[in-house]
Amino acid sequence: MELLSTNVCFDGEHRRYRHTSKTVNGDMEFAVFLPPSAVGREPKAVPVLYWLSGLTCTDQNFMQKAGAQKLAAKLGLAIVCPDTSPRGLNLPGEDDSYDFGSGAGFYINATEEPWAAHYRMYDYVVSELPALVEQALPVTDQRSISGHSMGGHGALICALKNPGLYRSVSAFAPIANPTECAWGQKAFRGYLGDDQSRWEEWDATLLIPTARERLPLLVDQGTADEFLDSQLNPDALADVCEKFHHHINLRMHRGYDHSYFFIASFIEDHLNHHARALGLA
């Protein structure tokens, strides 16, 4: 890994790295916050919260805007933020729109050309990145996962498809039923093709009925979110969770929108949710 930058933050360290990914066949960048206990004279390996960001974001949005480091430092929790897609591959159409291609990997494994060789963000997040982080940094294999919007969708499917891999899962304003919204349909058609039966394995709402592990879901959603009715559809997720007795705590917050002002307002609740599952609180 190439260290790009490092900043002292609440007596821990915020670092940015670049590495060559075999999964996406290109260079990837990611950020990590290491709490004080992991960077002292006698560093202690700590558990990790993986944060998946939304459309157009990079690893930097969460680290600079969410305000998570202060409590993470106190809890002894590392945070790892990958990018939202491969970058700079010069694929046709890669940079034509905000909701497909660069910045919009959707945390799935593409099967359609020219995306299939590179847009494998699911395998990258679930397998390659954790293996790299756990081998190179003072962290354990105790993991939790969270995210926002497209990243909330990513966090939910990663947890639902991998029983035992994560201790806990949460999401802010996730794209909860992507097969039924414009963002999801555009991405799935482009990355997976026209056969909609292949889309179903990447939709959290459709994965709930057959989930082999039922981690409690913490989902926060603002009522003033401009994408609530057209793209996010948390009610569909809540309804199927109720039907199949999958615990969900869907919290609707009056007046909050889709921005990082919303995330910063409730991020501590999510950190504490994960800390309890990881044995830190």
Side-chain angles (χ1 to χ4, degrees), residues 147-164:
H148 170 231
S149 193
M150 177 185 73
H153 142 77
L156 293 172
I157 63 168
C158 286
L160 289 167
K161 290 166 69 69
N162 294 279

Side-chain angles (χ1 to χ4, degrees), residues 56-67:
T56 75
C57 292
T58 68
D59 62 278
Q60 298 183 68
N61 296 75
F62 178 85
M63 289 299 194
Q64 295 181 8
K65 296 180 179 181

Side-chain angles (χ1 to χ4, degrees), residues 10 57 101-102 117 134 151 165 174 186 197 206 248 264:
F10 295 103
C57 292
S102 294
E134 289 163 19
L165 188 61
K186 179 178 180 177
S197 66
L206 302 181
I248 183 171

Side-chain angles (χ1 to χ4, degrees), residues 193-214:
D194 292 328
D195 182 357
Q196 296 187 19
S197 66
R198 294 195 293 172
W199 302 2
E200 296 175 3
E201 66 173 302
W202 307 107
D203 186 316
T205 295
L206 302 181
L207 290 173
I208 289 291
T210 57
R212 291 182 289 142
E213 180 182 47
R214 300 206 173 272

Side-chain angles (χ1 to χ4, degrees), residues 9 13-16 30-34 49 51 53 58-69 78-82 260:
C9 185
E13 288 186 32
H14 167 261
R15 302 176 185 174
R16 297 192 69 244
F30 69 94
V32 57
F33 173 72
L34 294 172
L49 172 65
W51 173 271
S53 295
T58 68
D59 62 278
Q60 298 183 68
N61 296 75
F62 178 85
M63 289 299 194
Q64 295 181 8
K65 296 180 179 181
Q69 291 94 335
I79 303 174
V80 171
C81 298
Y260 266 84

